[in-house]
Amino acid sequence: MIDASASRVRDGDPASRVPAAVNEPAIAMPDPRSARRLQWVAKVGLGFLTIAIIVGAYWIYTLQPQANQTLTPPPPKVLAALWTAIANGSLFVNIGWSLFRVVIGFVIGVVLAVLMGCTAGWFRYAGYVLNPIIESIRPIPALAYIPLVIVWVGIDEPARILIIVLAAFKPTVVNTRQGMKEVPNIYVEAAESLGASRMATFWRVAFPNAIPYIMAGMRTGLATGFLALVAAELIASSNGLGFLISNAGQNLQIDVVLMGIVVIGVVATLLDAVAVRAQAYLTRWSEVRQT
């Protein structure tokens, strides 16, 4: 008696054929570190290329016959002003004073904003009390408070720092409150079903979930703090990058004005890079794609 399976193999049944082993080459998996390094090089390279194109276009315009180089100084003249400020040490003094004001005002504004935003966003009845305050001050620019600040606080250093506090406070408090409100209910219910108290749920569930919102508000607050820096240093100040720009503008030193603007942009970019790294570290558990 002939085995049925052997008969199928002999008859060429495709279902019974066993494919021969093929020595296929192993697929090389990409190195994550190399991919991240390549992404970083592309990001930095394209960023510098964009800046180079803008500077190049401006430089070409300054070389045109109709261009007034007093009002539109070419980049070499701006670099000369930068070198002069570095050589006499005035640039570092002004950067130091501006950083002191921005950092102090930013820290105070962020601490107050996080406290108020978390309270208003997580505790219902506290929100009923605090939300009208937040909504009423949100549309008012920080610069609108300058006359009141001068009258109530004076023209000394606390007045300049208070302007930056107000500028950093508003975006941070709004984002913090929103982050506390958007905690998924399933997380809250899971924590409460395990016996977590309201405060334990706040610290272990709600606050970590709101960190991306808080960091986004802090980055915006840092940017608005630098926006308010120039106006804050106009209040009877004799130092700082804002004072440098204002004083140079009054004396028609446009090369110094452009130099001050570039320095503020570089300093703000470096501080924002620090905030981005801090956000990536604090939210390393997040599944959001990092770019």
Side-chain angles (χ1 to χ4, degrees):
M1 187 174 182
I2 301 175
D3 184 55
S5 60
S7 176
R8 287 198 301 269
V9 171
R10 186 175 61 250
D11 295 338
D13 187 3
S16 64
R17 293 176 183 173
V18 179
V22 180
N23 294 326
E24 297 180 353
I27 300 176
M29 299 299 293
D31 185 8
R33 293 184 179 179
S34 300
R36 287 195 298 267
R37 190 180 302 112
L38 181 62
Q39 182 183 12
W40 183 84
V41 171
K43 180 171 66 174
V44 174
L46 290 175
F48 275 110
L49 178 61
T50 302
I51 295 175
I53 292 174
I54 295 174
V55 173
Y58 172 77
W59 196 346
I60 292 174
Y61 172 78
T62 62
L63 298 177
Q64 301 304 311
Q66 69 273 16
N68 185 346
Q69 294 198 354
T70 301
L71 301 179
T72 55
K77 192 175 180 180
V78 178
L79 289 176
L82 176 63
W83 175 252
T84 301
I86 292 175
N88 59 28
S90 61
L91 179 63
F92 300 109
V93 173
N94 289 318
I95 290 176
W97 276 106
S98 293
L99 278 178
F100 167 75
R101 290 164 184 147
V102 168
V103 170
I104 296 298
F106 174 75
V107 170
I108 295 174
V110 164
V111 170
L112 295 175
V114 171
L115 290 175
M116 182 178 289
C118 288
T119 304
W122 184 247
F123 300 101
R124 179 181 303 173
Y125 291 100
Y128 294 160
V129 175
L130 296 176
N131 283 334
I133 301 175
I134 296 174
E135 294 298 330
S136 62
I137 66 175
R138 184 172 65 169
I140 304 174
L143 303 184
Y145 296 102
I146 289 181
L148 288 177
V149 170
I150 293 176
V151 172
W152 290 349
V153 182
I155 58 175
D156 295 327
E157 204 63 46
R160 305 180 194 111
I161 294 177
L162 181 56
I163 296 299
I164 300 174
V165 169
L166 294 172
F169 173 82
K170 291 193 299 178
T172 308
V173 72
V174 171
N175 278 40
T176 302
R177 182 187 61 175
Q178 191 64 27
M180 299 301 296
K181 286 184 175 181
E182 294 194 5
V183 179
N185 286 329
I186 188 173
Y187 296 162
V188 177
E189 293 172 357
E192 292 176 348
S193 66
L194 294 174
S197 64
R198 185 68 173 170
M199 287 302 300
T201 305
F202 169 81
W203 285 113
R204 295 178 178 271
V205 177
F207 188 76
N209 184 83
I211 286 178
Y213 293 85
I214 296 173
M215 295 302 299
M218 289 172 60
R219 292 181 62 189
T220 306
L222 183 62
T224 55
F226 271 97
L227 289 175
L229 174 67
V230 176
E233 291 181 340
L234 292 178
I235 305 176
S237 178
S238 59
N239 46 45
L241 294 173
F243 167 78
L244 176 69
I245 293 173
S246 175
N247 186 62
Q250 293 175 0
N251 295 317
L252 208 62
Q253 297 174 319
I254 308 302
D255 53 342
V256 179
V257 172
L258 292 176
M259 181 266 293
I261 292 173
V262 170
V263 170
I264 288 179
V266 171
V267 173
T269 300
L270 293 176
L271 291 178
D272 185 70
V274 174
V276 170
R277 295 299 298 270
Q279 179 178 2
Y281 176 77
L282 293 174
T283 60
R284 58 190 182 278
W285 47 266
S286 176
E287 298 179 355
V288 177
R289 182 174 63 93
Q290 301 289 337
T291 58

